[in-house]
Amino acid sequence: MFDEGGRWGFVRAVLTCAVWYIGSMFNSIFGKSVMKKFPSPMTVTIAQLLMVNLMLPFFLKEKMPRIQQRDWTGWILPLTFLKLLASLSSQLSILKVPVSYAHTVKACMPIFTVILSRIFLKQKHSTMAYLSLVPIMTGVIIASVTEIEFNLVGLISALVSTLTFAVQNILSKKVMKSGINHIALLVFVSRISFLCLFPVWFYEDGYGIFFGDSFAKLGDEAFTVTYELILGGICNSFQTIFAFTFLSYVTPVTYSVANVAKRIVIIFVSMFIFRNPVTLPNIIGVLVAIGGIGMYNKAKLDERARMLMENNEKSGELPPLPQYSPMKAQQQQQQPYFGKTHRRRMGSSNEDSTDVPRGHYQVMHV
């Protein structure tokens, strides 16, 4: 379940996950609050990229790795494009539809994960994993049909964001397994993303903010929008940094389970804070989708457990027992143990015992 075992590894992963949850929840809340007053997904995105670039150096504990030419086309530029597309489409979905509905749609990430892994990785899944996609799609459809504030652009933006995040997570985990530190990975991608988006943002929004009357039209709410942009950027920074950190600690399946639980929290907290009008069929659709996601995660955990059991059975096959020789046994009693295997009495708790009767040998691999 965890890439690094031990009690401290578990506690560290739990604390990292908690900060990720809190940052993601308040990032969604501040983002929605800002765009109710100043509807500009690009401005929210550039503010988030600025804050994450300012905060990342404080979390970088080692020197930045040297980047070779093949790295630019191998992962830097693809991840930069995916990050920009995911961030902009995510903010656009929050602008067009309620936060609870946007995260309900984003919770269908397992559908994209199954499709992408089947097409590009040729990965097969269990029957239960495929069956779990039915309630996920059914729940999202019910939630969409019964959503009072439904918007087609918001739905498409949420789906694009979900698909992009799924591809980004798969590629990021692959890059981290090659030896790139997760914070260094974020530094490269965030800096390039900011530099690519800044000229476009300045042409669309920045010039009007600094030299026009875009903020002046807000009146007294200009100050509120400014500090909510800053706080939202800080929360997004914690969300991004600790999400990548958590992904580096755990397996992709564990990350998927935690991500679903995060969305459940955000859905119900946003309903409470923004007082979104919901209907009973809408809530039923959300619960059906969440139930389907739970089935999918259970199926993936069972798959992983079965694979681990098969690998353990293959690696744990015992070699044939040696023939007993009194002379050889006497020589072994006189020699100290330095080998990779030793023998002990069946059922004995003393692993160093050499007083083993004939016919009771067991080979222990250490």
Side-chain angles (χ1 to χ4, degrees), residues 45-57 64 72 75-77 79-84 87 168 182-198 233 236-237 239-241 244:
T45 302
I46 200 71
Q48 292 176 349
L49 289 174
L50 175 62
M51 293 305 301
V52 76
N53 277 288
L54 292 176
M55 295 184 64
L56 274 174
M64 294 289 291
W72 286 97
W75 57 271
I76 293 180
L77 293 180
L79 281 177
T80 299
F81 172 76
L82 291 171
K83 182 172 180 59
L84 287 175
S87 299
Q168 181 183 351
H182 59 283
I183 300 296
L185 173 65
L186 270 176
V187 170
F188 282 121
V189 175
S190 298
R191 287 177 180 175
I192 304 300
S193 299
F194 180 81
L195 293 175
C196 291
L197 184 62
F198 183 82
N236 177 262
S237 300
Q239 171 193 344
T240 305
I241 294 169
F244 268 74

Side-chain angles (χ1 to χ4, degrees), residues 158-170:
L159 289 173
V160 171
S161 174
T162 305
L163 172 62
T164 310
F165 273 121
V167 179
Q168 181 183 351
N169 289 339
I170 293 174

Side-chain angles (χ1 to χ4, degrees), residues 319 337-343 362-366:
Y337 170 71
F338 291 103
K340 293 186 178 180
T341 63
H342 67 284
R343 298 184 172 99
Q362 181 184 18
V363 179
M364 301 294 293
H365 295 269
V366 297

